[in-house]
Amino acid sequence: MSNELKDQISDDVKTTGIPTNYGALGTLVTVFFFWGFIAAGNSVFIPFCKHYFSLDQFQSQLIDFAFYTAYYIGALALFAYGAFGGKDLVGKWGYKKSIVYGLLFSALGAAAMIIAVYANTFAGMLVGLFIVALGFSLQQTAAQPFAISLGDPATGLSRVNLGGGINSFGTTIGPIVVAFALFGTTAAISDEQIAALSLSKVIVLYVCVGALFISAAALFFFSKKVPAGVLIEKTENANKALYTLLIMTGLLVVMFTPVFNSYKVDLSNATVDEQHAMNAYRMKWLMGAFAVVVLGLLAANMSAKKKADGWGAMQYPQLVLGMLAIFVYVGVEVAIGSNLSELLKQKDFGGYQSSEAAPFISMYWGSLMIGRWAGAVNAFKLTTSTKNILKFFVPLLAFGIIIGVNTVAGYEMKSLYFYVVCVLVQIAASYISNDKPARTLLVFSLLAVLAMTIGCMTTGTIAIYAFLSGGLFCSIMWPCIFNLSIAGLGKYTTQGSAFLIMMILGGGIIPPIQGKLADVIGIHHSYWVPVVCFAYLAFFAFIVKQILGKQGINYDVAENTTGH
């Protein structure tokens, strides 16, 4: 590793004393809220569409497929523009305009959603969600580095964590608001009643969502507190990486096309043999898509080791393994929540109606808020003792808010009171982790493996709590993976960040795999998929520290200096 790069890494963690632009930060975090609100709302929208359109569990998961695949396509398009044009499009527009354009594009998606509802077509709704998420992709590409730029670089990632906390507040109230908007009540209604509901409720929901997107775009555009954030920099050469990603994209299209087309097949009157044949057909193509991503990235890194020229950020093993980690992390985070409603319908898990699942889904996504609020404490200038005290009480406060919001909404929350025990486990784990990213990721991944295993081997309240706690352990994984993956990339850091954003694609592949497995072996045992995913994240946490160590980077020390 060169002395120049070591000096650069050292400089990255020095405090510059630049004051935080809290006015701009306050405006910026509104978009973090939208990402969480819509993404978590999908967990309620999935069972609604399942019963309204008479879909199986796999078909209902195509909502996640459309939503999260858009992130990959959007990030890839931005990278391709930079590779061919020689300039970063987001930097050319500036962070402010990029977010405004992204919000308006999402509003266009909301309009497409309304048109699809009028046409009564599930495929059209998937297109609408895809366009909404394309706008999110542009917003997210701009918002995260923008948050870092709004003050001292040494506390930049704490601002991202603060945005994550606001994002998680959106994920907490999203299922509640969407459930009320779709079902019109907080009381239990049967799946047959859901199937008889009018799609006009979806129109009202997305009229409101589109109006919020436009309002947020106007807030950004007219705010004088938000700087333009224009950065005109030449894009680093990575043609081999680009061609590899384009080839992977072509292969993914080949894999996804038969999977997507199969949603039209009605298996309600099919024989057992016909159902098994369709299950095998879908699983084959889904696993093929999974293999394209995993093998494609590993092959790229092996080739880059032989000759780094043209591979850009992909020449670094920590980035490639980190791309797989983000792919798996987003996939498992979404899969747990998106399949939760179907799990709770089972007799061994309470036999809840789909309309009764909202508070559990809210608690799952709220669990991410619990951990992220604790992590956001470092975004403020406080003494070490004050931070330690807040790291204990803030998660409990967040838990109380989740209980309170759902209670006010009319849901019975007594069955979730003792979930506070899981919150205490998360608090203890955060102290043990000592704000060191590799250790934090390892501890939380192992706890997640344990929780998912307990959930798969038990039923009732214990299993429900175990699966819900997946949200607690996922809460801090994104910044840990992200920071470890781009450590030591130097001039390729921005490019590496774009590659990581692409891997949100995992949310479009892993949930349908679990959904298809649920159709084969049952929804309960399909949760072995999260066990495998968290096991890889534990492996990444273990191996990346060794990889960085060989490059002369003790990132645990560097990250602890920045307050994470």
Side-chain angles (χ1 to χ4, degrees):
M1 184 179 181
S2 68
N3 290 329
E4 180 184 354
L5 185 52
K6 288 182 179 179
D7 291 340
Q8 181 174 356
I9 295 169
S10 177
D11 289 341
D12 285 343
V13 297
K14 289 180 181 177
T15 301
T16 63
I18 300 173
T20 299
N21 185 340
Y22 287 108
L25 183 61
T27 305
L28 177 62
V29 295
T30 58
V31 298
F32 283 82
F33 175 85
F34 282 128
W35 304 336
F37 182 91
I38 298 298
N42 284 346
S43 297
V44 175
F45 194 56
I46 284 171
F48 174 85
C49 287
K50 177 178 179 179
H51 297 297
Y52 187 88
F53 291 104
S54 300
L55 309 173
D56 61 27
Q57 187 63 12
F58 158 76
Q59 291 168 325
S60 70
Q61 296 298 307
L62 289 176
I63 290 174
D64 282 335
F65 167 83
F67 191 79
Y68 290 98
T69 300
Y71 275 92
Y72 172 77
I73 298 298
L76 178 60
L78 290 172
F79 171 59
Y81 177 91
F84 289 121
K87 290 183 180 179
D88 178 11
L89 184 60
V90 171
K92 179 182 176 181
W93 283 343
Y95 295 139
K96 181 177 180 177
K97 284 186 177 180
S98 294
I99 292 173
V100 170
Y101 295 156
L103 286 165
L104 293 177
F105 204 83
S106 292
L108 183 63
M113 190 77 169
I114 294 169
I115 294 172
V117 171
Y118 272 116
N120 198 33
T121 166
F122 180 59
M125 291 184 184
L126 296 181
V127 172
L129 283 172
F130 182 86
I131 297 173
V132 169
L134 274 180
F136 282 5
S137 177
L138 178 56
Q139 295 166 42
Q140 189 152 340
T141 300
Q144 301 206 52
F146 198 14
I148 294 174
S149 72
L150 292 177
D152 192 333
T155 58
L157 293 172
S158 291
R159 289 188 290 278
V160 174
N161 233 351
L162 178 62
I166 301 299
N167 172 275
S168 294
F169 181 65
T171 65
T172 301
I173 69 171
I176 301 171
V177 174
V178 172
F180 187 79
L182 294 178
F183 305 132
T185 178
T186 57
I189 62 174
S190 68
D191 294 340
E192 290 75 18
Q193 288 174 302
I194 293 175
L197 290 174
S198 170
L199 280 180
S200 61
K201 295 179 179 294
V202 181
I203 295 176
V204 173
L205 173 63
Y206 274 90
V207 165
C208 294
V209 167
L212 287 173
F213 286 147
I214 294 172
S215 298
L219 176 66
F220 253 86
F221 184 77
F222 292 109
S223 175
K224 296 180 179 180
K225 295 179 180 179
V226 180
V230 176
L231 295 172
I232 304 299
E233 295 182 358
K234 184 178 179 180
T235 304
E236 295 297 333
N237 178 39
N239 288 333
K240 291 180 181 178
L242 174 61
Y243 295 145
T244 298
L245 289 169
L246 291 176
I247 292 172
M248 285 173 53
T249 303
L251 291 173
L252 287 173
V253 170
V254 171
M255 300 296 174
F256 286 157
T257 299
V259 170
F260 186 79
N261 286 338
S262 71
Y263 95 88
K264 303 173 184 176
V265 179
D266 183 5
L267 296 177
S268 57
N269 297 317
T271 65
V272 173
D273 288 341
E274 288 173 337
Q275 291 177 358
H276 286 328
M278 179 55 70
N279 287 336
Y281 175 81
R282 288 170 172 169
M283 185 61 78
K284 175 182 67 176
W285 291 108
L286 284 170
M287 293 307 298
F290 182 84
V292 165
V293 175
V294 175
L295 298 179
L297 290 177
L298 293 179
N301 186 245
M302 290 178 62
S303 179
K305 285 182 179 179
K306 298 177 182 177
K307 188 176 181 181
D309 183 50
W311 283 105
M314 278 193 186
Q315 65 188 276
Y316 295 89
Q318 65 265 36
L319 177 71
V320 174
L321 293 178
M323 290 171 71
L324 291 175
I326 289 290
F327 176 83
V328 167
Y329 157 72
V330 176
V332 70
E333 176 188 279
V334 175
I336 293 173
S338 294
N339 287 284
L340 193 58
S341 178
E342 184 66 19
L343 178 77
L344 293 171
K345 288 172 58 179
Q346 309 307 308
K347 184 178 180 181
D348 290 339
F349 293 87
Y352 296 96
Q353 298 288 345
S354 296
S355 61
E356 297 177 290
F360 293 94
I361 296 172
S362 175
M363 182 59 74
Y364 171 71
W365 290 107
S367 293
L368 278 87
M369 180 181 81
I370 290 170
R372 288 172 181 171
W373 277 24
V377 168
N378 289 317
F380 304 95
K381 291 185 177 180
L382 303 168
T383 64
T384 301
S385 59
T386 301
K387 287 181 179 180
N388 286 332
I389 292 172
L390 288 176
K391 285 180 181 178
F392 179 82
F393 286 106
V394 166
L396 296 176
L397 173 63
F399 174 72
I401 289 174
I402 298 166
I403 294 291
V405 168
N406 280 275
T407 300
V408 170
Y411 291 108
E412 174 57 59
M413 298 299 290
K414 289 183 180 179
S415 61
L416 287 169
Y417 285 172
F418 288 104
Y419 184 67
V420 71
V421 174
C422 298
V423 177
L424 292 173
V425 171
Q426 188 267 346
I427 292 172
S430 67
Y431 283 118
I432 293 171
S433 302
N434 197 28
D435 295 329
K436 297 182 177 181
R439 182 193 294 182
T440 299
L441 184 59
L442 180 61
V443 170
F444 278 66
S445 295
L446 291 175
L447 284 173
V449 169
L450 177 62
M452 295 301 107
T453 301
I454 291 173
C456 286
M457 299 182 70
T458 60
T459 57
T461 301
I462 292 177
I464 292 173
Y465 279 15
F467 291 135
L468 290 178
S469 69
L472 290 172
F473 303 128
C474 279
S475 62
I476 46 70
M477 287 185 176
W478 174 278
C480 290
I481 297 169
F482 210 97
N483 300 343
L484 291 166
S485 300
I486 64 175
L489 267 60
K491 64 183 180 180
Y492 295 107
T493 299
T494 301
Q495 189 180 96
S497 298
F499 289 159
L500 290 171
I501 295 296
M502 289 181 199
M503 289 299 104
I504 293 177
L505 171 69
I509 294 179
I510 292 177
I513 287 178
Q514 183 176 345
K516 185 69 266 164
L517 196 60
D519 289 331
V520 178
I521 65 174
I523 188 66
H524 184 196
H525 292 105
S526 74
Y527 273 81
W528 284 107
V529 170
V531 174
V532 175
C533 291
F534 284 124
Y536 172 76
L537 293 174
F539 165 77
F540 172 74
F542 175 78
I543 199 69
V544 73
K545 189 172 183 179
Q546 298 180 31
I547 291 172
L548 294 176
K550 290 179 181 178
Q551 298 175 15
I553 307 170
N554 187 347
Y555 201 64
D556 272 343
V557 173
E559 185 62 13
N560 199 36
T561 305
T562 66
H564 284 272

